[in-house]
Amino acid sequence: MSVNQQTHTGPPYGQPQPGYQGYQQPAYGGQPLPGVPHSQYGAYNGPMPGYQQPVPPQGYFPSLGFPSKGSPVSLNSDTSLAPNFIGSVRAPATSGTSLSSGHLGYSPFGQGDVQNGIPASTAPMQRPPASQPFLPGSAPVPVSQTSMFQQYGPPPASVQQLSNHMAGMTIGSTSTSAPPPAGLGYGPPTSVPPVSGSFSATGSGLYTPYTASQGPPPPSVSQGLPLAQPPFSGQPVSTQRLPTQVPGFAPPPSSTGIGPSSYPPTTGAPRPPTMPGPPLPVQTASGPPTSQPHHVSSPPPPPSTLSGPHPGPPMSGLRGPPPPTHPPQPGYQMQQNGSFEQVRGPQPNYGGAYPGTPNYGSQPGPPPPPKRLDPDSIPSPIQVIEDDRSNRGSEPFVTGVRGQVPPLVTTNFLVKDQGNASPRYIRCTSYNIPCTSDMAKQSQVPLAAVIKPLATLPPDETLPYLVDHGESGPVRCNRCKAYMCPFMQFIEGGRRFQCCFCSCVTEVPSHYFQHLDHTGKRVDFYDRPELSLGSYEFLATVDYCKNNKFPSPPAFIFMIDVSYNAVKSGLVRLICEELKSLLDYLPREGNVEESAIRVGFVTYNKVLHFYNVKSSLAQPQMMVVSDVADMFVPLLDGFLVNVNESRTVIISLLDQIPEMFADTRETETVFGPVIQAGLEALKAAECAGKLFIFHTSLPIAEAPGKLKNRDDKKLINTDKEKTLFQPQTSFYNNLAKDCVAQGCCVDLFLFPNQYLDVATLGIVTYQTGGSIYKYAYFQLETDQDRFLNDLRRDVQKEVGFDAVMRVRTSTGIRATDFFGAFYMSNTTDVEMAGLDCDKTITVEFKHDDKLSEDSGALLQCALLYTSCAGQRRLRIHNLSLNCCTQLADLYRNCETDTLINYLAKYAYRGVLNSPVKTVRDALINQCAQILACYRKNCASPSSAGQLILPECMKLLPVYLNCVLKSDVLQPGPEVTTDDRAYIRQLVTSMDVAETNIFFYPRLLPLTKADVDSDSLPAAIRNSEERLSKGDIYLLENGLNIFVWVGVNVQQGLIQNLFGVSSFSQISSALNTLPVLENPLSKKVRSIIDMLQVQRSRYMKLIIVKQEDKLEMLFKQFLVEDKSLTGGASYVDFLCHMHKEIRQLLS
């Protein structure tokens, strides 16, 4: 068997994932298992140059090859995973280059290939098996050989495995799939079918090591599966991309694959090997013997040589020790078509069993060293992202076709609106939805849309056109009130139109009449945005305004905490200095010279101070309201003013505030009355607006909304844990309702040094559509830049006030559930006092009737809002989706990133009412059902030991595991209750790109950056294994940027980047990199600036030196590794998912 396996060196296995801003997270999974050696190779940066990877046929990826949307990926547990997981198949490399050496310059993957990891063909170097943390119990790898494909004690269907393995290599034209890792430890090791067959043994041991006492896992039944991934049903295999066999995925020794029992046993008792199911019917060996990948005939390296990791693999033989010889057991040889033949006996080139390996059939002897699933043989997010960039980043995405799946959020692409809204405004979990509710229930794929109505567009795309129909207003359907859009059908020569949502026929108003051409289109089709574009705006008439009168321009009120902590930390002075210049950058409409927004100022501790800054005054006047139980605004005229008219008075006030409170001894604060004061001021001015509240401590002073410290870590993992996420009083819910009614949005900047009760204080912000920013243990020197950048962006960004959003759908489906920062007083209208360009509303749809494949399904999102100039507008986004009667069509048109965005929000809402464990189990169960339905109904038949994933969902397990390990669902000991409440609220209104980077951070090798180009270095996988001690890496997750420096980094690099002469002199306290005049420093600073611009919040820069105390925080973000809090590694979780799927199927 070993012949087939190659070892791959994978990208380092544990890249960190960035942490949340402002707080430490438990390490995510980057910790190596104790005792496990680090990988000896550097990070894997791409396929070796020597391998050319063939591109798989379009529609199909080799096992997980990327781009093709439609092909399923199969991880065969019994069969080997095709290394192709990653991409197209690579030819085996003959040379022995190590992977790491082969990094390609920019993209981590070979061109055209979809490999997830190392090219299969190369024999990857083997990492010492230990390097990957595996649960014990999975198939062991012999210690001596690290990455080789080793058989476990149980008889591997070794031949078969190999064959599978090879098959996985796309021996036949079938695509191979990657099996789940065998030894994943996700929960208690149960019997997950070993993936072994599917993953190649190469690579660090793929399996989890067994403890010495445990026997190898029994071979699983999966024995006879074909490796190939099954194409969608009905799809000829040939059309799929088949990976060429990738040697790297040798199947695990036990041919069984991850047999049920292969899940690592928890106990130390040896497992008797279970015999694999009956061998497949014997076929003549038409195909190459399985043992050799790629039909290569050379024998595997002799065991003796295998003892260490192999640097250069002979491709032909998988690296790894030869499989133990077991008594011949029927194995399968691979057939050309991907099925395995049974092999009769040990393969020719293998030596006898490894020492200590039991023979086939005999009782297991001491287990060989454990083997582990090769991380390079399982689907790689990096590979998928790279493949999508190369396949879809060059052509514009034209929205004229119904049900087109857009490029991934990680791909830069240009959108051309030709009738459907841009994916920047709406992304769906599936673009082809089931025709019936029964089909939707069977698949368990949630039907949801993530809508970002005011999304910012890149400079080269056109903003939505503003259409003014005069006093008559927009043309709408008489019955359902849908707005005119490209899908409305004009009839009777253009005199009437039939609604595409409810089929009602409506008269066309005389002023709107136009003749039709010979195709039935209006002749002014291209002159009217509402007839030809997916997104546009209407100018609203007075009928769309409150109290039937046009709104006044909004106001901004700055409310500053001047208690002892705020003054002492320098915060008050910093805010006042910044506001002097920031007030010149208030949002304005179009090319108007000055903003129409008026401003007001309040300071507070236990009492509130209002300021009259009327332009006619020589000095500002302060009015104190000490009766906080009955809040009122002591002045009307002079509180809200135009910045330019009152500039000198405002500047004078901002100079005086820090001096007035410099000697304060008042430590207590109020909070409820502060919001009430802002609300009353906006009511008096009869306008909408936003409160910017800068607050430092738990409001314990006597006043409405007073809170007590209820923080209790002992509630974690109990049924009462949900109370930590719930507000401790209903006062703020009621206040939020009043704020929404007035259009009063609240943005909250928190600077806590201890528990602040974000779950309660954040309620008003959350329900009014505002934003929360949190700077724990704020220190001027380290946090000033981050706070000021956040404040500037928050004040300047586009906001719609007093907003109401409604989503209409065509007959057959309806919007049933909503997630985000808003308030709902009924079941259809999403109300937001403010909606900015970063906020999303996620909408779930359910069937209420049958849909038809011919007509498809339509969504129309209508947002009514007041612009920053006080203009009432309607923004309309339309999207048409396909409908299907075949499950395969549903699975071929899903978008995993959007699915994860929805699942995370669903889970984060669930913790308000259910124990966290219940929420986690429900997530795992739903995803297992989604994948089991695919396996049962869409994949071509194969043994149960094979893990088969749909091509466009092959990253569902890795991303879902990241959500499960997040701080909200699995907190580490240093994650505070406030951190969890903060992250929960933040994620609830994130868009798809933000959740993508937040749950699976981006890890870039800075030392590989090309200082002469503008491009970023190719990203690597989030695992510690991928990190090299001689390199410097950057990890970002949207809240933090970590720069990790290895202990062996060359002195010259340290000098160029940090301006010091040695590793020991680098300061972990740096929060910005020094500005040095050399190419590396300029390049790294430009990369950081580029990343900061892409994110909605300014990320905190944290320098992490290897083996320093901060490294634990950094490792939390290496999400493919096992986390300190007990979260599974990716490999273990994949095995766990495989087990869950098998249980559902059985």
Short mmCIF file of all heavy atoms in Angstrom, two decimals, residues 556-584:
data_model
loop_
_atom_site.label_atom_id
_atom_site.label_comp_id
_atom_site.label_asym_id
_atom_site.label_seq_id
_atom_site.Cartn_x
_atom_site.Cartn_y
_atom_site.Cartn_z
N PHE A 556 -26.47 64.59 14.72
CA PHE A 556 -25.53 63.73 15.44
C PHE A 556 -25.32 64.35 16.81
O PHE A 556 -25.01 65.54 16.93
CB PHE A 556 -24.17 63.69 14.72
CG PHE A 556 -24.12 62.78 13.51
CD1 PHE A 556 -25.23 62.05 13.08
CD2 PHE A 556 -22.93 62.66 12.78
CE1 PHE A 556 -25.17 61.23 11.96
CE2 PHE A 556 -22.86 61.83 11.67
CZ PHE A 556 -23.97 61.12 11.25
N ILE A 557 -25.48 63.54 17.87
CA ILE A 557 -25.25 64.04 19.23
C ILE A 557 -24.10 63.24 19.86
O ILE A 557 -24.16 62.00 19.91
CB ILE A 557 -26.52 63.92 20.10
CG1 ILE A 557 -27.69 64.66 19.42
CG2 ILE A 557 -26.27 64.47 21.50
CD1 ILE A 557 -29.02 64.54 20.17
N PHE A 558 -23.06 63.94 20.30
CA PHE A 558 -21.88 63.29 20.89
C PHE A 558 -22.03 63.36 22.41
O PHE A 558 -22.15 64.45 22.98
CB PHE A 558 -20.60 64.00 20.42
CG PHE A 558 -20.41 63.89 18.93
CD1 PHE A 558 -20.90 64.87 18.07
CD2 PHE A 558 -19.78 62.78 18.37
CE1 PHE A 558 -20.77 64.75 16.69
CE2 PHE A 558 -19.63 62.66 16.99
CZ PHE A 558 -20.14 63.64 16.14
N MET A 559 -22.04 62.20 23.08
CA MET A 559 -22.32 62.11 24.51
C MET A 559 -21.12 61.45 25.19
O MET A 559 -20.85 60.27 25.00
CB MET A 559 -23.61 61.32 24.72
CG MET A 559 -24.70 61.78 23.73
SD MET A 559 -26.32 61.04 23.96
CE MET A 559 -27.01 62.16 25.14
N ILE A 560 -20.39 62.26 25.97
CA ILE A 560 -19.08 61.83 26.48
C ILE A 560 -19.10 61.59 27.99
O ILE A 560 -19.47 62.48 28.77
CB ILE A 560 -18.01 62.90 26.13
CG1 ILE A 560 -18.03 63.19 24.62
CG2 ILE A 560 -16.63 62.45 26.58
CD1 ILE A 560 -17.24 64.45 24.23
N ASP A 561 -18.69 60.40 28.38
CA ASP A 561 -18.56 60.03 29.80
C ASP A 561 -17.36 60.82 30.36
O ASP A 561 -16.25 60.72 29.83
CB ASP A 561 -18.29 58.51 29.83
CG ASP A 561 -18.00 57.95 31.21
OD1 ASP A 561 -17.75 58.72 32.15
OD2 ASP A 561 -17.99 56.70 31.33
N VAL A 562 -17.60 61.62 31.42
CA VAL A 562 -16.51 62.39 32.03
C VAL A 562 -16.27 61.94 33.47
O VAL A 562 -15.89 62.73 34.33
CB VAL A 562 -16.77 63.92 31.97
CG1 VAL A 562 -16.65 64.43 30.54
CG2 VAL A 562 -18.15 64.26 32.54
N SER A 563 -16.50 60.64 33.73
CA SER A 563 -16.21 60.12 35.07
C SER A 563 -14.69 59.98 35.22
O SER A 563 -13.94 60.16 34.25
CB SER A 563 -16.89 58.76 35.26
OG SER A 563 -16.37 57.82 34.34
N TYR A 564 -14.26 59.65 36.44
CA TYR A 564 -12.83 59.60 36.77
C TYR A 564 -12.01 58.74 35.78
O TYR A 564 -10.98 59.15 35.29
CB TYR A 564 -12.68 59.09 38.21
CG TYR A 564 -11.25 58.92 38.65
CD1 TYR A 564 -10.48 60.03 38.99
CD2 TYR A 564 -10.66 57.65 38.73
CE1 TYR A 564 -9.16 59.89 39.39
CE2 TYR A 564 -9.35 57.50 39.13
CZ TYR A 564 -8.59 58.62 39.45
OH TYR A 564 -7.30 58.48 39.83
N ASN A 565 -12.50 57.53 35.49
CA ASN A 565 -11.74 56.64 34.60
C ASN A 565 -11.53 57.24 33.21
O ASN A 565 -10.46 57.11 32.61
CB ASN A 565 -12.46 55.29 34.43
CG ASN A 565 -12.19 54.35 35.59
OD1 ASN A 565 -11.25 54.58 36.34
ND2 ASN A 565 -13.00 53.31 35.72
N ALA A 566 -12.57 57.87 32.68
CA ALA A 566 -12.48 58.42 31.33
C ALA A 566 -11.51 59.60 31.27
O ALA A 566 -10.75 59.76 30.30
CB ALA A 566 -13.87 58.87 30.87
N VAL A 567 -11.52 60.41 32.32
CA VAL A 567 -10.63 61.58 32.33
C VAL A 567 -9.19 61.14 32.56
O VAL A 567 -8.25 61.57 31.87
CB VAL A 567 -11.08 62.58 33.43
CG1 VAL A 567 -10.07 63.73 33.55
CG2 VAL A 567 -12.47 63.11 33.10
N LYS A 568 -9.00 60.25 33.55
CA LYS A 568 -7.65 59.82 33.94
C LYS A 568 -6.92 59.12 32.80
O LYS A 568 -5.71 59.26 32.63
CB LYS A 568 -7.76 58.89 35.15
CG LYS A 568 -6.42 58.43 35.70
CD LYS A 568 -6.61 57.37 36.78
CE LYS A 568 -7.17 56.10 36.17
NZ LYS A 568 -7.16 54.94 37.10
N SER A 569 -7.64 58.35 31.99
CA SER A 569 -6.99 57.61 30.91
C SER A 569 -6.63 58.49 29.72
O SER A 569 -5.97 58.04 28.79
CB SER A 569 -7.91 56.49 30.43
OG SER A 569 -9.07 57.05 29.82
N GLY A 570 -7.08 59.75 29.74
CA GLY A 570 -6.78 60.63 28.61
C GLY A 570 -7.83 60.54 27.52
O GLY A 570 -7.73 61.19 26.48
N LEU A 571 -8.85 59.73 27.75
CA LEU A 571 -9.87 59.50 26.72
C LEU A 571 -10.67 60.76 26.40
O LEU A 571 -10.92 61.08 25.24
CB LEU A 571 -10.81 58.38 27.21
CG LEU A 571 -11.93 58.00 26.26
CD1 LEU A 571 -11.37 57.44 24.96
CD2 LEU A 571 -12.84 56.95 26.91
N VAL A 572 -11.07 61.49 27.45
CA VAL A 572 -11.90 62.69 27.22
C VAL A 572 -11.16 63.70 26.35
O VAL A 572 -11.69 64.24 25.38
CB VAL A 572 -12.33 63.31 28.57
CG1 VAL A 572 -13.05 64.63 28.33
CG2 VAL A 572 -13.23 62.34 29.33
N ARG A 573 -9.89 63.94 26.70
CA ARG A 573 -9.10 64.91 25.92
C ARG A 573 -8.93 64.43 24.48
O ARG A 573 -9.05 65.21 23.52
CB ARG A 573 -7.74 65.11 26.59
CG ARG A 573 -6.89 66.21 25.97
CD ARG A 573 -5.60 66.42 26.75
NE ARG A 573 -5.84 66.88 28.12
CZ ARG A 573 -6.10 68.15 28.46
NH1 ARG A 573 -6.18 69.09 27.53
NH2 ARG A 573 -6.30 68.48 29.72
N LEU A 574 -8.71 63.14 24.32
CA LEU A 574 -8.51 62.57 22.97
C LEU A 574 -9.77 62.76 22.10
O LEU A 574 -9.69 63.18 20.94
CB LEU A 574 -8.19 61.08 23.09
CG LEU A 574 -7.95 60.32 21.78
CD1 LEU A 574 -6.67 60.79 21.11
CD2 LEU A 574 -7.86 58.81 22.04
N ILE A 575 -10.94 62.48 22.68
CA ILE A 575 -12.20 62.61 21.93
C ILE A 575 -12.42 64.07 21.53
O ILE A 575 -12.76 64.38 20.38
CB ILE A 575 -13.39 62.10 22.78
CG1 ILE A 575 -13.28 60.59 23.00
CG2 ILE A 575 -14.72 62.43 22.09
CD1 ILE A 575 -14.25 60.04 24.06
N CYS A 576 -12.21 64.98 22.48
CA CYS A 576 -12.45 66.40 22.19
C CYS A 576 -11.51 66.92 21.11
O CYS A 576 -11.93 67.66 20.20
CB CYS A 576 -12.31 67.23 23.47
SG CYS A 576 -13.64 66.91 24.67
N GLU A 577 -10.25 66.50 21.15
CA GLU A 577 -9.30 66.94 20.12
C GLU A 577 -9.71 66.41 18.75
O GLU A 577 -9.68 67.12 17.75
CB GLU A 577 -7.88 66.43 20.46
CG GLU A 577 -7.17 67.23 21.53
CD GLU A 577 -7.05 68.71 21.18
OE1 GLU A 577 -6.67 69.02 20.03
OE2 GLU A 577 -7.36 69.54 22.04
N GLU A 578 -10.11 65.14 18.71
CA GLU A 578 -10.47 64.53 17.43
C GLU A 578 -11.73 65.17 16.84
O GLU A 578 -11.82 65.39 15.63
CB GLU A 578 -10.69 63.02 17.62
CG GLU A 578 -11.10 62.28 16.37
CD GLU A 578 -10.07 62.35 15.24
OE1 GLU A 578 -8.87 62.53 15.53
OE2 GLU A 578 -10.48 62.23 14.07
N LEU A 579 -12.71 65.47 17.69
CA LEU A 579 -13.96 66.03 17.17
C LEU A 579 -13.75 67.38 16.49
O LEU A 579 -14.48 67.74 15.57
CB LEU A 579 -15.01 66.15 18.29
CG LEU A 579 -15.61 64.82 18.77
CD1 LEU A 579 -16.60 65.07 19.92
CD2 LEU A 579 -16.32 64.10 17.63
N LYS A 580 -12.74 68.14 16.93
CA LYS A 580 -12.51 69.45 16.31
C LYS A 580 -12.32 69.31 14.81
O LYS A 580 -12.85 70.12 14.04
CB LYS A 580 -11.26 70.11 16.92
CG LYS A 580 -11.41 70.54 18.36
CD LYS A 580 -10.08 71.17 18.81
CE LYS A 580 -10.04 71.32 20.31
NZ LYS A 580 -8.69 71.79 20.73
N SER A 581 -11.57 68.31 14.40
CA SER A 581 -11.34 68.15 12.95
C SER A 581 -12.39 67.25 12.30
O SER A 581 -12.75 67.45 11.15
CB SER A 581 -9.94 67.58 12.71
OG SER A 581 -9.80 66.35 13.42
N LEU A 582 -12.89 66.28 13.06
CA LEU A 582 -13.83 65.30 12.47
C LEU A 582 -15.14 65.94 12.03
O LEU A 582 -15.79 65.47 11.09
CB LEU A 582 -14.08 64.19 13.49
CG LEU A 582 -14.83 62.96 13.01
CD1 LEU A 582 -14.16 62.36 11.77
CD2 LEU A 582 -14.91 61.91 14.10
N LEU A 583 -15.54 67.02 12.70
CA LEU A 583 -16.82 67.63 12.37
C LEU A 583 -16.84 68.21 10.94
O LEU A 583 -17.91 68.50 10.41
CB LEU A 583 -17.17 68.72 13.39
CG LEU A 583 -17.41 68.18 14.80
CD1 LEU A 583 -17.65 69.31 15.79
CD2 LEU A 583 -18.59 67.21 14.82
N ASP A 584 -15.67 68.33 10.32
CA ASP A 584 -15.64 68.80 8.93
C ASP A 584 -15.92 67.66 7.96
O ASP A 584 -15.99 67.88 6.75
CB ASP A 584 -14.27 69.41 8.60
CG ASP A 584 -14.09 70.76 9.28
OD1 ASP A 584 -15.12 71.44 9.47
OD2 ASP A 584 -12.96 71.12 9.63
#
